[in-house]
Amino acid sequence: MKNIENREDVALLVHSFYAKIRTDTEIGPFFNDVIKDWDEHLEKLTNFWEMNLFGGRNYSGNPIEAHIEVDRNSGGVISTHEFGIWLNYWFATIDELFEGENADTLKRRARKMSTMLFLNMFNSRR
Ligand code: HEM
């Protein structure tokens, strides 16, 4: 078990995490319906989490808008249940591969972000 120390570590985490997500029967379809180029998505999410942890400017996107769009296109059915599944995989993947302060930080930040993303998604419905 090691700390999350660099981009390579983040890439391993992101790849391992989405390998689980893609094959989940409940939330996999949300991703597989939208994401046509998985290499590009994994690169983008590696940039996102690398920037989140180590700084820099290599991610430039809008996660709130992206999730409002995903929710709208799937008929507004994404709930805290789906976010719970997402978070469980995130925690499980981190625990399988890493330990230490950055591992804890990525768990905490994802938990906070899930609340923020879900609230924005929910509010956009009305
Ligand atoms: C803590 C929870 C989550 C985090 C931190 C997160 C983070 C992200 C980020 C950063 C992106 C890239 C946005 C962009 O720049 O285009 C993304 C895309 C996406 N997310 Fe999430 N996500 C979360 C939960 C979920 C859940 C629960 C679902 C579905 C049930 C979901 C479905 C998607 C999909 C389909 C995309 C691709 C959007 C596109 O390419 O158009 N996410 N997510």
Side-chain angles (χ1 to χ4, degrees):
M1 288 289 217
K2 65 191 286 294
N3 288 305
I4 302 173
E5 287 167 351
N6 50 38
R7 178 178 175 85
E8 217 171 76
D9 292 340
V10 175
L12 174 64
L13 168 61
V14 167
H15 281 73
S16 310
F17 170 72
Y18 281 102
K20 292 181 171 58
I21 289 279
R22 289 174 74 166
T23 54
D24 182 88
T25 52
E26 285 188 87
I27 68 168
F30 289 104
F31 291 84
N32 293 316
D33 284 353
V34 173
I35 297 164
K36 299 300 168 214
D37 185 341
W38 271 96
D39 287 341
E40 188 189 38
H41 182 75
L42 294 172
E43 183 74 7
K44 188 196 285 177
L45 271 288
T46 300
N47 290 340
F48 174 77
W49 288 112
E50 183 193 25
M51 185 173 89
N52 188 282
L53 206 46
F54 302 118
R57 314 182 119 259
N58 53 5
Y59 169 81
S60 62
N62 188 330
I64 293 178
E65 280 306 319
H67 290 85
I68 287 174
E69 190 71 13
V70 170
D71 185 57
R72 188 176 294 134
N73 291 336
S74 55
V77 297
I78 298 173
S79 70
T80 51
H81 176 72
E82 282 73 21
F83 275 90
I85 296 173
W86 191 107
L87 281 175
N88 274 333
Y89 282 125
W90 186 247
F91 296 156
T93 313
I94 291 174
D95 285 339
E96 269 165 35
L97 298 168
F98 299 104
E99 63 183 6
E101 194 181 327
N102 284 343
D104 293 340
T105 300
L106 286 192
K107 289 186 201 174
R108 202 174 54 245
R109 296 213 177 134
R111 197 185 290 115
K112 274 176 91 170
M113 238 180 278
S114 73
T115 308
M116 187 272 291
L117 288 175
F118 181 70
L119 282 177
N120 278 280
M121 220 182 228
F122 188 78
N123 285 331
S124 78
R125 290 177 191 165
R126 282 169 288 166

